[in-house]
């Protein structure tokens, strides 16, 4: 009988334990519990901004670039995570990406954001640490209020130039919604 020997090799730098990954920071991280995104290098992370797709939350503070951090991936496992709020957030509010790696309540400004979870504790001010139940990031596009107004086209029908102007507003509104939905996303239209 012949014996077969087998060796299993792997790249330890990219292995994960499921809910977290080890990366190095592109720059110092002054606060714990910040959202991070993929960094400049293959296995690096950087502070997330409001419109970046986040990778996860870090528990480490680093004092310089190239220090190792543990990144807890969003939507993995049943554990809750801590996050830094950028302002007032109520219990049960859905939380979204914000600048500087922080989370915010539902955005009220046009732009692209990512839903990252639900608040389990409240925040009263910037830099408060809250507990969140995370989810896989879901893109949210917030568009400005519609420019067309109800009833204007009927009133403008006696005036061809008024009707044309209102039709252009309607076209602008439709194009804004179309651009927002060019990639799969949730859509929010701000109130006029």
């Amino acid at each position: 009988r012949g014996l077969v020997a087998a060796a299993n090799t792997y790249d330890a730098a990219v292995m994960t334990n499921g809910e977290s990954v080890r990366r190095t920071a592109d720059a110092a991280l002054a606060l714990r519990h910040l959202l991070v995104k993929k960094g400049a290098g293959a296995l690096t992370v950087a502070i997330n901004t409001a419109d970046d797709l986040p990778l996860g939350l870090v528990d480490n503070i680093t004092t310089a670039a190239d220090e190792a951090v543990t990144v807890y991936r969003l939507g993995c496992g049943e554990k809750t995570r801590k996050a830094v709020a950028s302002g007032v957030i109520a219990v049960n509010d859905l939380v979204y990406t914000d600048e500087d790696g922080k989370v915010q309540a539902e955005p009220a400004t046009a732009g692209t954001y990512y839903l990252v979870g639900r608040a389990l504790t409240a925040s009263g001010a910037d830099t408060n640490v809250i507990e969140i139940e995370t989810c896989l990031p879901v893109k949210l596009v917030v568009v400005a209020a519609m420019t067309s107004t109800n009833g204007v086209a009927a009133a403008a029908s006696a005036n061809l130039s008024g009707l044309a102007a209102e039709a252009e507003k309607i076209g602008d509104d439709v194009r804004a919604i179309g651009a927002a939905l060019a990639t799969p996303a949730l859509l929010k239209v701000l109130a006029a």
Side-chain angles (χ1 to χ4, degrees), residues 6-148:
N8 188 10
T9 62
Y10 66 92
D11 183 352
V14 296
M15 296 300 290
T16 69
N17 69 7
E19 68 181 34
S20 68
V21 293
R22 292 289 285 170
R23 297 290 187 261
T24 56
D26 279 350
L29 303 172
L31 294 173
R32 296 174 68 190
H33 315 302
L34 294 175
L35 287 168
V36 293
K37 63 181 177 179
K38 182 190 174 308
L43 297 174
T44 65
V45 292
I47 297 292
N48 208 72
T49 62
D51 62 350
D52 289 324
L53 174 63
L55 175 62
L57 290 154
V58 293
D59 254 353
N60 306 56
I61 294 176
T62 63
T63 56
D66 298 325
E67 287 188 35
V69 294
T70 300
V71 180
Y72 293 96
R73 298 182 312 136
L74 299 170
C76 293
E78 297 178 11
K79 293 181 181 177
T80 61
R81 296 282 170 220
K82 291 181 180 178
V84 178
S86 64
V88 174
I89 298 175
V91 172
N92 288 325
D93 276 357
L94 295 178
V95 292
Y96 300 82
T97 53
D98 202 353
E99 296 302 315
D100 303 320
K102 298 175 185 177
V103 297
Q104 65 177 315
E106 187 175 301
T109 305
T112 300
Y113 307 89
Y114 286 86
L115 169 66
V116 294
R118 179 174 63 97
L120 299 178
T121 59
S123 166
D126 184 32
T127 70
N128 284 174
V129 175
I130 62 170
E131 184 178 7
I132 66 171
E133 175 181 61
T134 70
C135 65
L136 291 173
V138 178
K139 186 177 182 180
L140 169 70
V141 178
V142 178
V143 297
M146 300 287 103
T147 57
S148 58

